[in-house]
Amino acid sequence: MTREQFLNGTQFYVGRKKYKGDSTYSYDVGSISRQSRSSVDERIVLDDYECNIIKTGRVGFVGFTFVLGKKVVVKYRFENLVEFIGENN
């Protein structure tokens, strides 16, 4: 996936698709949301907040969220994100 695709809100997997109905993610104005999908037809069942974005760089992004009161920071490279290809994206 490219930086431009990420910033345009293209839905993606982290790594690769692991099973039918695997969750996808998308960027939207400073945060990442997770789309929980149906294992029958991969339609979106729930669209929910995943994390905030601290920085979007040339080759990746840095995000954070809180888990049980503790801040968790994640870093991903755009090259490790796989675009979701499907009818319902």
Side-chain angles (χ1 to χ4, degrees), residues 1 5-6 9-15 22-27 32-33 35 37 61 76 80-85:
M1 171 174 258
Q5 287 176 304
F6 176 80
T10 302
Q11 294 175 351
F12 61 89
Y13 297 107
V14 175
D22 196 3
S23 293
T24 56
Y25 303 89
S26 62
Y27 173 78
I32 299 276
S33 62
Q35 296 81 39
R37 295 187 172 272
F61 68 90
Y76 284 102
N80 296 332
L81 308 179
V82 178
E83 181 181 1
F84 172 73
I85 308 289

Side-chain angles (χ1 to χ4, degrees), residues 17-22 37-42:
K17 180 178 176 179
K18 296 166 189 70
Y19 52 87
K20 187 172 182 174
D22 196 3
R37 295 187 172 272
S38 165
S39 61
V40 175
D41 58 6
E42 293 199 329

Side-chain angles (χ1 to χ4, degrees), residues 36-88:
S36 298
R37 295 187 172 272
S38 165
S39 61
V40 175
D41 58 6
E42 293 199 329
R43 66 182 168 78
I44 296 173
V45 178
L46 177 67
D47 194 353
D48 197 12
Y49 161 86
E50 185 69 15
C51 71
N52 291 316
I53 299 297
I54 300 170
K55 176 184 172 188
T56 304
R58 198 173 41 82
V59 295
F61 68 90
V62 179
F64 77 94
T65 192
F66 288 89
V67 177
L68 298 174
K70 187 169 186 167
K71 185 175 180 180
V72 177
V73 177
V74 295
K75 298 177 184 179
Y76 284 102
R77 296 176 64 92
F78 298 126
E79 65 188 33
N80 296 332
L81 308 179
V82 178
E83 181 181 1
F84 172 73
I85 308 289
E87 296 174 17
N88 301 318

